[in-house]
Amino acid sequence: MTNHTPRVQLLLTGNEIMSGDTVDSNSAMIARRLDELAITVYRKVTVGDDPALLAAELTAMTADADLVIVNGGLGPTVDDLTAEILAGVAGVELVEHAEAIAHLKGWCAGRNLALNAANLKQAMLPAGCRIVDNPIGSAVGFELTVAGCRIICTPGVPSELRAMLDLIVADLANQLQHPVERNILRLQTFGLGESSAQQIINDHVPDWPPEVELGFRAGAPQMEIKLSVNRAADLPARQQCRAQLETLFGDHIIGEGDTLLAEQVLALLRERGETLTTAESCTGGLIASMLTRIPGSSDAFHAGFVTYANNIKHRVLGVPEATLHKHGAVSEEVVLAMARGALERAGADYAIAVSGIAGPGGGSEEKPVGTVWLAWGERDNLRTRCLCWPVERSLFQTMIAAAGLDMIRRLLLGIDEEPRYFRQRRAR
Amino acid sequence: MTNHTPRVQLLLTGNEIMSGDTVDSNSAMIARRLDELAITVYRKVTVGDDPALLAAELTAMTADADLVIVNGGLGPTVDDLTAEILAGVAGVELVEHAEAIAHLKGWCAGRNLALNAANLKQAMLPAGCRIVDNPIGSAVGFELTVAGCRIICTPGVPSELRAMLDLIVADLANQLQHPVERNILRLQTFGLGESSAQQIINDHVPDWPPEVELGFRAGAPQMEIKLSVNRAADLPARQQCRAQLETLFGDHIIGEGDTLLAEQVLALLRERGETLTTAESCTGGLIASMLTRIPGSSDAFHAGFVTYANNIKHRVLGVPEATLHKHGAVSEEVVLAMARGALERAGADYAIAVSGIAGPGGGSEEKPVGTVWLAWGERDNLRTRCLCWPVERSLFQTMIAAAGLDMIRRLLLGIDEEPRYFRQRRAR
């Protein structure tokens, strides 16, 4: 299998996946890691912990694929069948594997546990197999070549699989005689949809080079754009595509890799030694939570206020009762007063204030569900905007919290251009 | 297929699933809905948008299964192949289907759109197929029986699939000649692990009746326990099992169905016309966010404080500087003062206050990462506890936020018993 890109299939096992009690994210993880080597998974099969079904699938796969990755069934219980199935398909015995015993002993010792019979089952592996280290868990991985097809068995626990994939991917890269110099660039964006981004590119870059593969991965609140090339020689073309994306909608690009909006805002604040505070009504603490999920957030985020009720907006943030009475809680005047109150109480440099109608109740003809006022900026330079983003409550909260963070990001970067969602989500 | 429980396979299609850019949650949704009829999915296959692969899989499935559910590939673009593949496998033509045209016209009219060629493709369906209504999207579902195997094609958009499954499940229930009276009871719990719950049951209920199927679905922060029986006659046995679970760890059971901890806390507060406030350091707004994600939370949650920095704990919540200086931010004295400050400022009946070390940095010998002080209760009856829950930062925040809500739930329900996690997560 070393002289060409292997044809890969996945075999996933586990009753909890078949029943839907667990959503399988492992196969997506495997596919994304193999993509780093330009290796594509072309078929995957999932069955429960059933020996006959597993054996039939694995046998069929070995006839068709160059590489099969089996995921799951390495645990210590009776329904963990993978080693037994592989031994059967390969026509070899299960034998106690010294290297696996050593791994188990080390694992137990590190946890002050005694090695028990259940654990020892995890060292009974097909004769002749090669061990793949599990840097985290008790179950080692193992591989065996059957009828020219390489079969690698991996653990179902996602963190253990993640760690083991580092080893497997490095190993595969070494063994490819003509490795593809896969170069993947991932860009995180906020405020762009998959189809609108594609449309903008189609309209403005009709001669997009075919060697630069373009992919989208929509999430909430961020969307990832992936630019991949398979040869180092194509890196300049990729660089040019990136430059074109920057020109077309660079202000929507948050950063590379896995960068989160909150992470980027905190990094920008940290650079300047400045701080941010939040005054949240309809987002109810989500902006603060997004910020504090990031390690080290305490550098730049010291205080947040969740002022859900009108009297709290008054008591806690000093929003004048007359303003609340005259304009209503969802108004420009109120978010401005919330932002000022939070800045003063927190002694912060920047504030985000949000008040809106998350629904499903509380809408009116004039202010329908999805209406929201945002204020952001510094004490002497607060800006405001009214948007209407009528989606399901928790998605609304996620998108509006992100929009607030995005406006601070734009302010700190000196981006004057309005984001596309200001037009698309304009309030009536 | 009507005189016995059908043998079901799933065929999933989509390049975005194969590449790992999208995690497939649709097949879990399908499996869980079929489980309501005691119908099990025994095999699922996923391939990309490749006509030859799709046709081969579908042909093989019809030879083995009674029912195949195909998911994905119903859209208007060229890589949406499902109708074409099914027609090929069935040996029939693709024809314009009047009912599908009517659906498309209605769908476009409701959106002020003109019916275009791309949409019309969605009405070109295998001759003789039956339409399955799509209550949400433009793409109708369709079904055809091939070689005795019923094939139902469904859309890949999760919300559309969800709506269509209501119709499919109702239809299947009607057609089963001996429908299984599947009765599923789902209980939401907090503070129990899968293996510890199983162990408690093994130890205390050695004679668990085999007709009452027991399942666990671990999540963060909640774990679901599922009790299912296949005959109405077994309902008393299920009721008895439930009673035994209530005896063994009933104080950890939050509610039935999809009940969330925050939802239950809000319901208990609403019953009494009382309110809750939060003073969060290490959870950084997550408790507030969990509460405000629930529609109608404004009834019982008016104000929350995120006081991440020491000077903010002092300025915003009135925690004495001397207390902070003497005991440190992660201390019983400080969480008590935070709770009192929040109660006073919010005018609330109950408070949760949290201060801890979420990590990865900030730990010490005496207070390692994962150490957290909680205070909860009413002004004149505040309780406190120190826990050590050393897991990854965002999981720590999730579990501690939930623990805070859980303590209020227990207080409101008059549960005096300490939760199991107080022992398991005791601070040194």
Side-chain angles (χ1 to χ4, degrees):
Chain A
M1 61 158 282
T2 51
N3 53 355
H4 65 286
T5 304
R7 288 169 49 81
V8 181
Q9 295 197 20
L10 303 187
L11 177 58
L12 304 152
T13 167
N15 289 337
E16 70 288 0
I17 303 177
M18 290 314 290
S19 68
D21 285 341
T22 298
V23 168
D24 156 46
S25 57
N26 284 356
S27 60
M29 193 199 301
I30 295 171
R32 282 168 69 85
R33 293 304 307 272
L34 293 180
D35 185 38
E36 292 167 20
L37 305 173
I39 296 175
T40 306
V41 177
Y42 71 97
R43 180 173 184 262
K44 68 183 185 202
V45 178
T46 314
V47 290
D49 301 317
D50 176 310
L53 278 177
L54 279 165
E57 296 296 342
L58 190 55
T59 303
M61 284 181 168
T62 56
D64 194 44
D66 303 310
L67 170 62
V68 172
I69 298 182
V70 182
N71 186 247
L74 301 194
T77 64
V78 286
D79 53 358
D80 290 305
L81 300 163
T82 299
E84 187 186 322
I85 301 301
L86 177 57
V89 169
V92 299
E93 297 291 307
L94 279 180
V95 296
E96 202 174 274
H97 205 294
E99 205 180 327
I101 295 276
H103 174 84
L104 281 164
K105 282 189 176 154
W107 188 84
C108 286
R111 283 155 190 78
N112 268 325
L113 297 170
L115 194 62
N116 62 26
N119 289 131
L120 278 175
K121 175 178 174 294
Q122 295 177 297
M124 293 298 290
L125 301 175
C129 74
R130 192 175 77 83
I131 299 293
V132 187
D133 186 33
N134 183 336
I136 293 179
S138 61
V140 294
F142 45 93
E143 69 159 281
L144 198 61
T145 297
V146 178
C149 173
R150 183 172 174 183
I151 302 169
I152 308 179
C153 300
T154 60
V157 179
S159 58
E160 298 183 15
L161 173 64
R162 188 172 297 118
M164 196 177 286
L165 278 172
D166 288 339
L167 308 174
I168 292 171
V169 168
D171 190 46
L172 285 171
N174 282 334
Q175 288 174 20
L176 288 170
Q177 274 184 6
H178 304 290
V180 171
E181 298 170 74
R182 182 75 161 164
N183 280 285
I184 301 174
L185 172 70
R186 296 188 294 122
L187 299 173
Q188 297 296 330
T189 70
F190 173 71
L192 284 177
E194 213 169 324
S195 57
S196 62
Q198 181 70 70
Q199 194 58 53
I200 298 169
I201 294 169
N202 292 350
D203 292 348
H204 293 88
V205 198
D207 55 343
W208 184 277
E211 66 272 26
V212 183
E213 204 182 300
L214 174 67
F216 300 99
R217 188 187 182 204
Q222 300 186 188
M223 180 183 75
E224 181 182 295
I225 300 181
K226 200 163 77 172
L227 296 180
S228 319
V229 294
N230 286 346
R231 303 181 311 155
D234 294 329
L235 281 173
R238 193 189 72 182
Q239 194 46 38
Q240 207 180 326
C241 288
R242 186 203 173 132
Q244 281 173 304
L245 298 188
E246 293 279 359
T247 307
L248 292 172
F249 43 66
D251 58 316
H252 295 79
I253 298 174
I254 302 158
E256 294 188 12
D258 292 320
T259 311
L260 296 172
L261 204 37
E263 198 177 355
Q264 180 65 2
V265 167
L266 289 166
L268 291 167
L269 289 166
R270 197 176 288 123
E271 268 173 27
R272 303 162 168 246
E274 294 182 322
T275 63
L276 170 67
T277 186
T278 52
E280 305 183 63
S281 186
C282 61
T283 50
L286 185 57
I287 304 177
S289 181
M290 283 176 168
L291 287 162
T292 55
R293 208 172 295 157
I294 310 295
S297 49
S298 52
D299 291 351
F301 180 70
H302 299 167
F305 303 86
V306 183
T307 55
Y308 218 53
N310 276 0
N311 71 325
I312 298 295
K313 292 181 180 73
H314 171 63
R315 283 168 61 167
V316 171
L317 292 178
V319 178
E321 284 179 318
T323 306
L324 284 159
H325 186 72
K326 187 169 169 200
H327 302 283
V330 180
S331 65
E332 182 169 30
E333 292 78 3
V334 165
V335 286
L336 279 170
M338 285 170 69
R340 287 196 195 102
L343 283 167
E344 192 179 313
R345 281 153 187 77
D349 300 297
Y350 300 90
I352 305 169
V354 187
S355 183
I357 302 146
S364 66
E365 179 81 17
E366 197 198 347
K367 293 177 184 172
V369 167
T371 304
V372 58
W373 272 99
L374 286 163
W376 68 94
E378 296 159 284
R379 170 152 199 90
D380 302 322
N381 185 19
L382 283 167
R383 307 179 192 187
T384 59
R385 174 64 62 141
C386 186
L387 300 176
C388 188
W389 210 310
V391 291
E392 178 274 323
R393 182 180 178 93
S394 86
L395 181 59
F396 169 86
Q397 292 176 321
T398 300
M399 299 311 281
I400 297 305
L405 289 169
D406 189 43
M407 294 322 296
I408 295 291
R409 181 186 70 88
R410 288 167 174 269
L411 182 67
L412 294 174
L413 289 171
I415 297 172
D416 283 330
E417 208 178 340
E418 289 205 334
R420 295 176 54 84
Y421 54 87
F422 271 19
R423 266 164 290 154
Q424 283 151 0
R425 304 295 184 170
R426 186 178 308 172
R428 275 166 298 182
Chain B
M1 60 159 283
T2 52
N3 53 356
H4 66 286
T5 304
R7 288 170 49 82
V8 181
Q9 293 198 21
L10 303 187
L11 177 57
L12 305 151
T13 167
N15 289 337
E16 71 287 2
I17 303 178
M18 290 315 288
S19 68
D21 284 341
T22 298
V23 168
D24 157 46
S25 58
N26 284 356
S27 60
M29 193 198 301
I30 295 171
R32 282 169 68 85
R33 293 303 308 272
L34 293 180
D35 185 39
E36 293 169 18
L37 305 174
I39 296 175
T40 306
V41 177
Y42 72 96
R43 181 173 182 262
K44 68 183 184 201
V45 177
T46 312
V47 289
D49 301 316
D50 176 309
L53 279 177
L54 279 166
E57 296 296 342
L58 190 55
T59 303
M61 285 182 169
T62 57
D64 195 43
D66 302 310
L67 170 63
V68 172
I69 297 182
V70 182
N71 186 247
L74 301 194
T77 64
V78 286
D79 53 356
D80 290 304
L81 299 163
T82 299
E84 187 185 322
I85 301 302
L86 177 56
V89 168
V92 299
E93 298 292 307
L94 279 181
V95 296
E96 200 174 275
H97 205 295
E99 204 179 329
I101 294 277
H103 175 84
L104 282 164
K105 281 190 177 154
W107 188 85
C108 286
R111 281 153 192 81
N112 268 326
L113 297 170
L115 194 60
N116 63 25
N119 289 133
L120 278 175
K121 174 177 175 295
Q122 296 177 297
M124 293 298 290
L125 302 176
C129 75
R130 193 175 76 83
I131 298 294
V132 186
D133 187 34
N134 183 336
I136 293 178
S138 62
V140 293
F142 45 92
E143 69 159 281
L144 197 61
T145 297
V146 178
C149 174
R150 184 173 173 183
I151 302 169
I152 308 179
C153 301
T154 60
V157 179
S159 58
E160 298 183 15
L161 174 64
R162 188 171 297 118
M164 197 178 285
L165 278 172
D166 289 338
L167 307 174
I168 292 170
V169 168
D171 189 46
L172 284 171
N174 281 334
Q175 287 174 21
L176 288 170
Q177 275 184 4
H178 304 291
V180 171
E181 299 169 73
R182 183 73 161 167
N183 279 284
I184 301 173
L185 172 70
R186 296 189 293 122
L187 298 173
Q188 297 297 329
T189 70
F190 173 72
L192 284 176
E194 214 170 324
S195 56
S196 63
Q198 181 71 69
Q199 195 58 53
I200 298 168
I201 294 169
N202 293 350
D203 292 349
H204 293 87
V205 198
D207 55 343
W208 184 276
E211 65 271 26
V212 182
E213 204 183 299
L214 173 67
F216 300 99
R217 188 186 183 203
Q222 300 187 187
M223 180 183 75
E224 181 182 294
I225 300 181
K226 198 163 78 170
L227 296 180
S228 318
V229 293
N230 286 345
R231 303 182 311 156
D234 294 328
L235 281 173
R238 192 189 73 183
Q239 193 46 39
Q240 207 180 327
C241 288
R242 184 201 175 136
Q244 281 172 305
L245 299 188
E246 294 280 358
T247 308
L248 291 172
F249 42 68
D251 58 317
H252 294 79
I253 298 174
I254 302 158
E256 295 188 11
D258 293 319
T259 310
L260 297 171
L261 204 37
E263 197 178 355
Q264 180 65 2
V265 167
L266 289 167
L268 292 168
L269 289 166
R270 198 176 287 125
E271 268 174 27
R272 304 161 165 247
E274 294 182 323
T275 63
L276 171 66
T277 185
T278 54
E280 305 183 62
S281 187
C282 62
T283 49
L286 186 57
I287 305 177
S289 181
M290 284 177 168
L291 288 163
T292 55
R293 207 173 295 157
I294 311 294
S297 51
S298 51
D299 291 353
F301 180 70
H302 299 168
F305 303 86
V306 183
T307 56
Y308 219 53
N310 276 359
N311 71 325
I312 298 295
K313 291 181 180 71
H314 172 62
R315 282 168 60 167
V316 171
L317 292 178
V319 178
E321 284 179 317
T323 306
L324 284 158
H325 186 72
K326 186 168 170 201
H327 302 282
V330 180
S331 65
E332 182 169 29
E333 291 78 4
V334 166
V335 285
L336 279 171
M338 286 170 68
R340 287 197 196 102
L343 283 166
E344 192 180 313
R345 281 152 186 78
D349 301 297
Y350 299 91
I352 305 169
V354 187
S355 184
I357 301 145
S364 66
E365 180 81 16
E366 196 198 348
K367 293 177 184 172
V369 167
T371 304
V372 58
W373 272 99
L374 285 162
W376 68 94
E378 295 159 286
R379 172 153 196 88
D380 301 323
N381 185 19
L382 284 168
R383 307 179 191 188
T384 59
R385 175 64 61 142
C386 187
L387 301 176
C388 189
W389 211 310
V391 292
E392 176 274 325
R393 181 179 179 93
S394 85
L395 181 59
F396 168 85
Q397 293 176 320
T398 300
M399 299 313 279
I400 298 306
L405 289 169
D406 190 44
M407 294 322 295
I408 295 290
R409 181 186 70 88
R410 289 168 174 268
L411 182 66
L412 293 174
L413 289 171
I415 298 172
D416 283 329
E417 208 177 338
E418 288 206 334
R420 295 176 55 84
Y421 55 86
F422 270 20
R423 265 165 292 154
Q424 284 152 358
R425 304 294 185 170
R426 187 179 306 171
R428 276 167 294 182

